[in-house]
Amino acid sequence: MKYAYYPGCSLEKTQRGYDESVREVFRTLDQEIVEIEDWNCCGATVYMSVKETVSLAISSRNLALAEQMGLQVMAPCSSCFTVLSKTNRILNEIPKLHSDVNEALAEAGLNYTGKTKVRHPLDILMNDIGIEAMQKKMKHNLNGLKIAPYYGCQIVRPDKTFDDKENPILMDRLFRKCGAEVVYFPMKVRCCGGMLMTTFEETALKLNKELLECAVANGADVIVTTCPLCHFNLEAYQDKINDVYKTNFSVPILYFTQLLGIVFGLQQKAIGLDSSFIPLGDKVTSLVTV
Amino acid sequence: MAESLRTPFFMSKTEAELRQVFLEQVKQIPAGERIKRCIQCGTCTGSCPVSYAMDISPRELIALFRAGEMETIMKSRTIWICASCYSCTTRCPSGIKITDIIYALKRTAMEKQYKSKSPQVQVLANLFIENLMAYGRLHEGTLIRKYYMKTNVAKMFGLISLGRKMFATKRIAIFPKKIKQHEALSRIIKKAQEIEIRHTPERMEYSPDYVGYKAIGEMELEQRKGN
């Protein structure tokens, strides 16, 4: 199948590892993804929570562009995924807002019906492509690697999406098939604080410390994420957490598409592993194709 | 049950106006009217990862709204610290969209220009919007730089080592880049802003039966009861 790819702002540069690995993994699986031409920022939670009509209008522009392509949207960033899905839900349930949005879109000669489906790559990999098709491409297995699958909040909530809201399991299932040991990780959907790292740093540091603590206490070698915000908070602020809490965490944080890329034997650089701040550790490094 | 039993008996004009703006916002939330069903069980507060840092718990927000204490809510820290993780919304046994209700409270506070105990969130939101309008995509570097300039300049120094790491791993775009159809996007935003302003007078016109639960659609609730 073919998908309209919506990378979102953070994947453009700061989280290029996610973008690169998504593209490579889909290429390896012979799935075509076409970037939405000239997409704009979805507005994220920050915008949606303060100005509703405007935020719906700007996120609808992307959905309208995808509708013209006649494709489903693939959005790897959890925030984009939630905002775009929520836009669909609101437009379909509140007709007044739908007509307001179309009135605004008309200024750019666009119109949106509210019918473009928004999908997350994890959903597409597991439900459209399937584990069997992926197994055919596997070059390494993850035997001996212990992972903590961290889903974060916004790909499984607030509305029913593709996995359970309290105990999602698709990533667990995927990497178990790849040979990894999935450790007990009860905080798999607990919040990392998101943008609170900027506005309420102390609170966000505590949330992330607890996540790291939980993963390490349960023996994880690596935390696997699906969201650029979770990834950034856990990775870039690990030093600061160590400073503040006198801990010595050194937990590598990988995107699930990067770990899948490792299983597929893709080159380190192609899946953006060269952009990690934290050393990958012996176990992961031994599997990586240089 | 008569409607009057569910709205406060005495109410100042400020309170009534705040309720009106808030309830208009609630109307725009799918299934927003479920706020009526709150049983004050506190599952929201117990599920919230940041409730320990709030001055008013999520459960109390609804209690205060019912008690006619909108002003207390407007001045709270709570509505600004919510990280939008939707744990409360997921677990609420009455199906209340608490996260969205908090957004509605935030918008009410912004519309009525309440000074926040945590002004940095509004600073960030405004800079985010400014950034998006200027380029069509978010340029994180500009956003963060401007944010710390306005809130805490000293903190910028603490970010130098992080900045270095990001530079070394090619994770920083030095200059922001505009999208091609930036003009068209600006027209959309301008129009949407006009529409939002067009709806404001409806919210401003105070009518007494507009400040209780009745305003968010008794009928609708009846229809949805089966869900």
Side-chain angles (χ1 to χ4, degrees), chain A residues 79-226:
Chain A
S79 199
C80 303
F81 176 75
T82 297
V83 167
L84 296 174
S85 316
K86 223 171 151 183
T87 301
N88 270 341
R89 167 134 202 244
I90 295 173
L91 296 189
N92 284 314
E93 291 201 19
I94 316 267
K96 178 177 146 266
L97 285 170
H98 195 169
S99 62
D100 284 353
V101 162
N102 272 327
E103 192 183 331
L105 288 179
E107 291 289 311
L110 293 168
N111 184 68
Y112 177 52
T113 62
K115 293 201 179 88
T116 303
K117 264 201 159 179
V118 180
R119 309 278 306 273
H120 190 271
L122 180 60
D123 174 23
I124 294 174
L125 287 169
M126 295 299 282
N127 295 320
D128 290 7
I129 298 167
I131 285 188
E132 276 136 49
M134 285 191 268
Q135 269 175 325
K136 285 184 193 143
K137 302 278 178 185
M138 286 181 191
K139 296 227 169 85
H140 297 296
N141 68 51
L142 299 176
N143 284 348
L145 187 71
K146 292 180 179 176
I147 66 157
Y150 180 45
Y151 297 77
C153 324
Q154 298 196 335
I155 64 168
V156 287
R157 296 196 292 254
D159 299 317
K160 193 177 179 334
T161 58
F162 55 89
D163 210 338
D164 191 80
K165 289 176 181 178
E166 296 277 6
N167 185 22
I169 47 154
L170 288 186
M171 246 201 300
D172 302 37
R173 206 180 272 166
L174 171 62
F175 291 118
R176 241 178 233 136
K177 281 275 180 198
C178 300
E181 182 186 330
V182 177
V183 304
Y184 173 68
F185 190 52
M187 291 178 91
K188 54 162 80 162
V189 292
R190 173 84 179 236
C191 181
C192 75
M195 284 305 276
L196 292 190
M197 195 55 95
T198 315
T199 50
F200 290 91
E201 196 185 74
E202 225 177 279
T203 313
L205 286 175
K206 181 170 176 279
L207 295 174
N208 286 282
K209 181 208 119 196
E210 287 166 1
L211 287 166
L212 291 165
E213 217 166 42
C214 179
V216 170
N218 288 302
D221 301 314
V222 44
I223 298 179
V224 188
T225 62
T226 60

Side-chain angles (χ1 to χ4, degrees), chain A residues 9-10 12-16 37-41 43-54 57-58 61 82 86 89-90 93-94 96-97 100 103-105 107-108 153-154 157-158 165-166 190-191 193 195-196 198-201 203 206-207 232 235-237 239 274-277, chain B residues 25 27-30 49-50 52-53 77 80-81 83-87 89-91 97 100 103 106-107 110 118 120-121 124-125 128-129 132-133 136-138 140 144 147-148 155 159 162 165-166 169-173 179-181 184-185 187-189 191-193 195-196 198-199 224:
Chain A
C9 306
S10 62
E12 269 202 300
K13 205 74 186 170
T14 43
Q15 299 298 328
R16 65 178 177 86
E37 170 86 15
D38 210 36
W39 53 269
N40 58 270
C41 171
T45 305
V46 186
Y47 213 151
M48 190 168 254
S49 64
V50 298
K51 287 264 183 285
E52 193 172 32
T53 315
V54 187
I58 57 171
R61 178 178 174 268
T82 297
K86 223 171 151 183
R89 167 134 202 244
I90 295 173
E93 291 201 19
I94 316 267
K96 178 177 146 266
L97 285 170
D100 284 353
E103 192 183 331
L105 288 179
E107 291 289 311
C153 324
Q154 298 196 335
R157 296 196 292 254
K165 289 176 181 178
E166 296 277 6
R190 173 84 179 236
C191 181
M195 284 305 276
L196 292 190
T198 315
T199 50
F200 290 91
E201 196 185 74
T203 313
K206 181 170 176 279
L207 295 174
F232 195 78
E235 187 192 39
Y237 284 89
D239 282 351
D274 57 333
S275 67
S276 301
F277 292 161
Chain B
Q25 293 285 358
K27 263 176 136 178
Q28 311 210 350
I29 302 170
V50 294
Y52 78 93
R77 184 175 197 235
W80 303 107
I81 200 174
S84 295
C85 78
Y86 297 98
S87 291
T89 303
T90 305
R91 293 182 184 166
K97 308 284 172 194
D100 293 318
Y103 291 175
K106 249 191 224 188
R107 293 185 199 126
M110 281 180 109
S118 317
Q120 76 273 24
V121 182
L124 186 74
F128 190 102
I129 294 170
L132 202 160
M133 295 230 207
R137 286 184 195 171
L138 186 68
E140 287 127 323
I144 295 301
Y147 172 80
Y148 284 114
K155 261 217 160 138
L159 289 171
L162 179 57
K165 273 193 227 164
M166 294 188 67
T169 49
K170 300 197 190 89
R171 284 168 61 170
I172 280 189
I179 63 167
K180 278 184 253 160
Q181 294 194 27
L185 180 68
R187 285 201 300 276
I188 295 175
I189 295 176
K191 189 72 190 175
Q193 280 169 335
I195 294 168
E196 221 155 69
R198 197 169 73 205
H199 292 319
R224 286 177 197 250

